[in-house]
Amino acid sequence: RPKGVMHTHANCLWSGERAAKSFRLSPDDISLTVLPLFHVNALSFSFLGPLTVGATACCIERYSASQYWTQVRNYGATFISLLPFLVRTQLALPPAENDGDHRIRAAAYAINCTDREREDFEQRFNVSFINLYGLTEALTSVLVAPLDRNRRWPSVGMAAFDREVRLFRPDGQETVDEEVGEIAVRGIPGRTIMLGYYQDEVATAATIRDGWLFTGDQAWRDSHGYFYYIDRSKDMIKRGGENVSAGEVERVLIEHPKIAECAVISVPDPLRDEAVKAYIVAEVGEEITADEVTDHCRRYLATFKVPTIIEFRTFLPKTSIGKIEKGALRREVLVA
């Protein structure tokens, strides 16, 4: 069930300052977004950040894939924020000679796409993704890839301006390098992290503990201090004593040339606690079988990670910013 996140005026001021410093925004920059302002991505990066430094913020009322780069050029945009659905709808358009003709110097990016999609997009549209990780409870960025150094894709970067970030094991101890743990960010409620959840003291106390905001997201850190996102804790599937990351399975599935979209969730299993279920949307004009999906997964995944239940759909439920809404798929399973 969605929880109301309470933000203060101070939260907004710090969010704008952090976004401005992360992307080195100046009064000469022009930000353009097609994302809704009730979502923290557009609010923080595309709106509060530019306004903090006296730059220009352009908010497009509706997203049109065919008009997007024309709008970018017409407004003289220098900064944009991208998500997978924007990347994929742009790549689906026929190439044009002026695809790379624009003033964009920085493109914030959230929610990993495939390596092939990133490479194709960056080459075709002459932009470089600045990968990041953030959440509503922290308004917004926690980790951001550096602008001038190796970004180590698919890393989501290093601690953002004013952030202290650590990874914790379930027993409360910090992890060592290359060990998966829960992302936690130290902060001041109502200033650098949320004030709390609206009328939910229990959930607030469970999330903010000893000055740390525990995100529920899993990641690991390399020896250079770069973080690599794994999955939401609730997207870790417990199968016969083994942990399966739904995100890892999805990254393998989406590499199949016949698969346009996919989502992986857990479903009850009487023998192994939980089973791995995959929802598949085929590319337009393509047909794919369950055996093809299984064979593809077996090439790149351990046996216990291969989906045992495969369901084909013509579309998957989406949120307002184009993310696949797994909650709706989980509710279908519960009702069934």
Side-chain angles (χ1 to χ4, degrees):
R1 181 181 178 182
K3 297 185 287 292
V5 176
M6 296 187 292
H7 289 144
T8 67
H9 187 69
N11 280 133
C12 293
L13 293 176
W14 275 94
S15 180
E17 188 76 15
R18 190 178 304 110
K21 283 184 165 56
S22 295
F23 304 109
R24 295 186 196 147
L25 300 178
S26 76
D28 296 329
D29 276 306
I30 299 174
S31 165
L32 182 141
T33 186
V34 294
L35 301 174
L37 287 175
F38 60 75
H39 191 275
V40 292
N41 183 310
L43 176 65
S44 180
F45 303 142
S46 303
F47 192 69
L48 293 175
L51 294 191
T52 297
V53 297
T56 300
C58 300
C59 303
I60 305 301
E61 187 174 358
R62 292 182 182 86
Y63 172 62
S64 166
S66 61
Q67 292 299 310
Y68 181 73
W69 287 106
T70 299
Q71 292 167 331
V72 166
R73 284 186 283 270
N74 287 347
Y75 283 101
T78 61
F79 175 69
I80 55 175
S81 183
L82 297 169
L83 294 173
F85 90 94
L86 292 173
V87 168
R88 289 166 186 153
T89 53
Q90 292 299 308
L91 286 173
L93 294 173
E97 290 184 2
N98 62 344
D99 278 340
D101 180 18
H102 52 70
R103 297 178 58 217
I104 299 299
R105 64 165 189 81
Y109 187 80
I111 312 168
N112 276 343
C113 58
T114 67
D115 291 345
R116 185 184 70 244
E117 287 171 332
R118 177 185 68 90
E119 291 166 1
D120 289 348
F121 191 92
E122 289 187 338
Q123 182 175 7
R124 174 175 164 182
F125 294 103
N126 189 30
V127 297
S128 182
F129 290 176
I130 303 169
N131 215 8
L132 57 89
Y133 162 82
L135 66 162
T136 305
E137 286 84 342
L139 192 64
T140 299
S141 54
V142 171
L143 302 163
V144 181
L147 270 64
D148 298 327
R149 284 179 284 162
N150 188 337
R151 294 174 191 164
R152 297 181 181 271
W153 176 274
S155 166
V156 288
M158 311 169 94
F161 163 74
D162 85 330
R163 294 299 200 191
E164 181 181 354
V165 186
R166 297 182 187 177
L167 301 177
F168 289 95
R169 302 175 184 138
D171 63 5
Q173 299 299 308
E174 282 192 61
T175 64
V176 297
D177 287 347
E178 300 188 6
E179 179 184 5
V180 174
E182 181 178 358
I183 303 172
V185 53
R186 189 194 292 274
I188 301 172
R191 185 172 181 179
T192 55
I193 58 175
M194 68 172 179
L195 188 62
Y197 291 118
Y198 180 66
Q199 294 185 349
D200 198 336
E201 295 181 1
V202 174
T204 299
T207 302
I208 302 176
R209 308 193 299 269
D210 298 324
W212 290 91
L213 172 68
F214 285 81
T215 66
D217 290 320
Q218 303 287 310
W220 61 276
R221 182 186 58 243
D222 67 20
S223 59
H224 300 280
Y226 288 75
F227 288 77
Y228 298 79
Y229 181 81
I230 298 294
D231 222 332
R232 292 286 297 168
S233 295
K234 65 182 179 182
D235 282 334
M236 296 299 290
I237 301 168
K238 309 291 184 181
R239 185 180 183 189
E242 299 282 1
N243 289 331
V244 180
S245 165
E248 179 186 5
V249 181
E250 289 164 353
R251 285 189 287 274
V252 168
L253 286 169
I254 203 65
E255 289 288 352
H256 194 290
K258 292 184 179 181
I259 295 177
E261 290 184 320
C262 65
V264 173
I265 66 170
S266 66
V267 295
D269 185 289
L271 296 178
R272 298 182 175 85
D273 298 324
E274 293 179 337
V276 181
K277 180 174 182 177
Y279 294 86
I280 304 293
V281 176
E283 289 281 4
V284 176
E286 296 284 1
E287 293 185 3
I288 185 170
T289 66
D291 286 342
E292 287 180 272
V293 173
T294 301
D295 290 344
H296 173 73
C297 289
R298 283 175 176 159
R299 292 194 198 100
Y300 305 102
L301 294 169
T303 301
F304 67 88
K305 297 180 181 180
V306 175
T308 55
I309 305 171
I310 298 169
E311 182 175 329
F312 294 97
R313 295 280 184 99
T314 55
F315 67 91
L316 294 173
K318 302 285 194 349
T319 68
S320 59
I321 61 168
K323 290 173 62 176
I324 294 172
E325 191 176 6
K326 288 190 179 182
L329 298 175
R330 294 190 183 98
R331 287 191 291 274
E332 289 181 17
V333 173
L334 291 175
V335 171

